[in-house]
């Protein structure tokens, strides 16, 4: 049985603003095992990045608050950990690849020196040894002429190379968990494939657990083992890649997949879109967060949060009143087409 690296249980995260309390994450639970890739998908603002940053305690507190829940990372209680404790956990136990490496790298420092800092922060090695390790890591992520490139600054790298350098820094301390927050945003398709392949290589070599945050379902299909679909601060469905793509049961998951262009389809069908907008998490809905946009919506959906239903045995879950055994048929509900 694979080692359990991360367990998140009933996590609630809020932000205190002048307008009021933004309930960004509302009861999220999931786990990740060693050597496993968990993809977290959903549209912008659903709470994906806030959840990931909370695991590393990167959200400034205040205004952020963990109002409820538990996070166990390789035996560490993250919720109660102090900033001093988190400094030893970040990098060693968990590392993060950010969406835009240009804003996360120091533009005034050579890339190699930034990798050296990462190495020396968690490993007791000399500066000379750390420099050699930095060159080795740049070489491992397929940056050409790594010794020369290590002396260059971030602006001298292309977008794909900066992302590779960010991966080198993240992996330099051999973390048990790697969080990749939309690592292929703004990269062309060829470079996206190379970055994803690089993550798979690192996972296989080091048995690293990966949380991949993305809205690109094509990327998910190619790399993930399991998928968690988020909407309005909640995980509305989770399961294996096959279960989510071919046996999905939540209307939001269905809507996401219907909005994808079907290259091999023989039918001339218009590309579907999801009408409406996500709910305001300053005042989240009393019932299901997706009810206002759902073509299957019933009165109960607007009034009460749906429980989590287990589907197809253990591991596939969805939160939707349609899955209740007493739910009326589509004709009785009067579903919108």
């Amino acid at each position: 049985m694979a080692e359990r690296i991360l367990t998140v249980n009933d996590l609630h995260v809020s932000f205190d603003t002048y307008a009021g309390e933004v309930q960004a994450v509302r009861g999220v639970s999931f786990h990740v095992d060693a050597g496993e890739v968990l993809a977290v998908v959903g549209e912008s603002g659903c709470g994906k990045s806030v959840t990931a940053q909370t695991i590393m305690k990167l959200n400034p507190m205040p205004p952020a608050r963990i109002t409820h829940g538990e996070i166990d990372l390789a035996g560490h209680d993250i919720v109660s950990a102090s900033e001093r404790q988190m400094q030893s956990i970040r990098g060693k136990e968990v590392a993060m690849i950010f969406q835009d490496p240009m804003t996360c790298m120091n533009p005034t420092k050579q890339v190699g020196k930034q990798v050296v800092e990462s190495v020396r922060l968690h490993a007791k090695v000399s500066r000379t040894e750390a420099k050699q390790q930095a060159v080795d890591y740049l070489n491992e992520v397929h940056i050409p002429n790594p010794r020369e490139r290590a002396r260059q600054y971030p602006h001298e790298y292309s977008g794909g190379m900066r992302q590779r350098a960010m991966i080198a820094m993240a992996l330099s301390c051999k973390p048990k968990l790697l969080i990749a927050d939309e690592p292929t945003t703004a990269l062309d398709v060829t470079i996206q494939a190379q970055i994803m392949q690089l993550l798979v290589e690192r996972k296989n070599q080091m048995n690293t657990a990966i949380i991949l945050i993305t809205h690109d379902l094509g990327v998910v299909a190619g790399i993930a083992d399991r998928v968690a679909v988020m909407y309005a601060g909640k995980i509305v469905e989770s399961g294996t890649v096959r279960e989510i793509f071919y046996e999905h049961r939540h209307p939001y998951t269905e809507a996401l997949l219907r909005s994808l262009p079907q290259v091999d389809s023989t039918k001339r069908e218009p590309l579907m879109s999801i009408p409406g907008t996500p709910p305001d998490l300053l005042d989240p809905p009393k019932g299901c967060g997706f009810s206002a946009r759902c073509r299957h919506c019933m009165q109960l959906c607007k009034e009460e949060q749906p429980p989590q239903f287990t589907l197809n045995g253990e591991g596939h879950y969805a939160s939707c009143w349609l899955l209740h055994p007493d739910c009326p048929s589509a004709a009785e509900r009067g579903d919108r087409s």
Side-chain angles (χ1 to χ4, degrees):
M1 187 174 178
E3 178 190 2
R4 182 64 47 87
I5 301 298
L6 174 71
T7 302
V8 177
N9 182 40
D10 196 24
L11 180 65
H12 293 251
V13 182
S14 292
F15 289 83
D16 294 318
T17 71
Y18 290 112
E21 180 187 1
V22 177
Q23 299 176 42
V25 177
R26 306 186 297 141
V28 164
S29 299
F30 62 89
H31 68 269
V32 192
D33 294 335
E36 181 181 41
V37 179
L38 172 69
V40 182
V41 302
E43 58 196 285
S44 297
C46 69
K48 305 186 299 295
S49 294
V50 172
T51 300
Q53 290 169 5
T54 302
I55 294 169
M56 296 185 69
K57 272 198 168 176
L58 292 177
N59 295 312
M61 297 184 182
R65 287 185 293 119
I66 300 175
T67 59
H68 188 265
E70 302 170 347
I71 304 173
D72 184 300
L73 173 61
H76 301 279
D77 181 2
I78 299 300
V79 173
S80 62
S82 65
E83 178 57 28
R84 180 181 290 274
Q85 291 171 320
M86 287 307 303
Q87 287 175 7
S88 64
I89 292 170
R90 295 185 195 118
K92 183 179 179 183
E93 304 287 0
V94 57
M96 193 165 187
I97 303 169
F98 293 93
Q99 184 171 344
D100 183 3
M102 195 61 185
T103 61
C104 302
M105 298 175 76
N106 189 333
T108 67
K109 270 191 178 179
Q110 295 170 343
V111 172
K113 287 185 177 180
Q114 297 187 54
V115 182
V116 166
E117 283 182 353
S118 180
V119 171
R120 297 198 73 198
L121 188 62
H122 296 282
K124 294 180 180 180
V125 296
S126 66
R127 181 168 292 277
T128 301
E129 192 176 350
K131 284 180 179 179
Q132 183 56 51
Q133 286 189 25
V135 172
D136 292 341
Y137 281 117
L138 292 176
N139 183 55
E140 284 184 16
V141 296
H142 310 311
I143 289 181
N145 304 317
R147 196 168 297 279
E148 291 75 19
R149 289 291 189 178
R151 293 194 287 267
Q152 292 184 326
Y153 293 86
H155 73 270
E156 297 179 272
Y157 280 41
S158 67
M161 287 178 63
R162 280 195 294 269
Q163 197 61 280
R164 290 171 190 273
M166 177 69 74
I167 293 172
M169 280 190 277
L171 295 176
S172 62
C173 298
K174 298 180 175 61
K176 294 179 180 178
L177 174 64
L178 181 64
I179 302 173
D181 188 359
E182 301 199 25
T184 58
T185 299
L187 300 178
D188 63 65
V189 177
T190 304
I191 302 301
Q192 284 185 22
Q194 293 174 0
I195 295 298
M196 287 297 103
Q197 182 58 39
L198 181 59
L199 291 178
V200 171
E201 288 176 8
R202 299 298 99 186
K203 181 201 76 160
N204 293 338
Q205 290 175 6
M206 303 166 66
N207 202 33
T208 306
I210 296 177
I211 296 177
L212 174 64
I213 299 170
T214 183
H215 54 261
D216 189 335
L217 291 172
V219 169
V220 170
I223 188 176
D225 298 303
R226 291 187 299 112
V227 184
V229 182
M230 282 195 75
Y231 187 81
K234 288 179 170 288
I235 292 179
V236 296
E237 185 167 7
S238 63
T240 65
V241 169
R242 178 171 182 79
E243 287 167 342
I244 295 300
F245 276 79
Y246 299 107
E247 301 169 22
H248 50 271
R249 300 295 299 278
H250 196 282
Y252 179 61
T253 310
E254 178 193 18
L256 281 179
L257 292 168
R258 288 178 68 191
S259 67
L260 291 175
Q262 303 296 320
V263 178
D264 58 347
S265 176
T266 57
K267 299 179 182 178
R268 287 182 169 271
E269 296 179 345
L271 190 63
M272 301 299 295
S273 64
I274 305 175
T277 57
D280 184 357
L281 295 183
L282 272 168
D283 184 23
K286 189 166 59 171
C288 173
F290 191 59
S291 59
R293 307 172 75 184
C294 181
R295 62 195 183 101
H296 305 292
C297 180
M298 302 175 288
Q299 187 60 37
L300 177 63
C301 302
K302 302 175 183 178
E303 297 173 352
E304 212 171 313
Q305 291 280 351
Q308 187 181 76
F309 294 92
T310 303
L311 309 164
N312 308 323
E314 287 295 322
H316 187 191
Y317 307 97
S319 299
C320 180
W321 284 116
L322 294 176
L323 303 173
H324 194 283
D326 297 331
C327 179
S329 66
E332 293 171 321
R333 295 195 306 266
D335 288 358
R336 304 191 298 270
S337 59

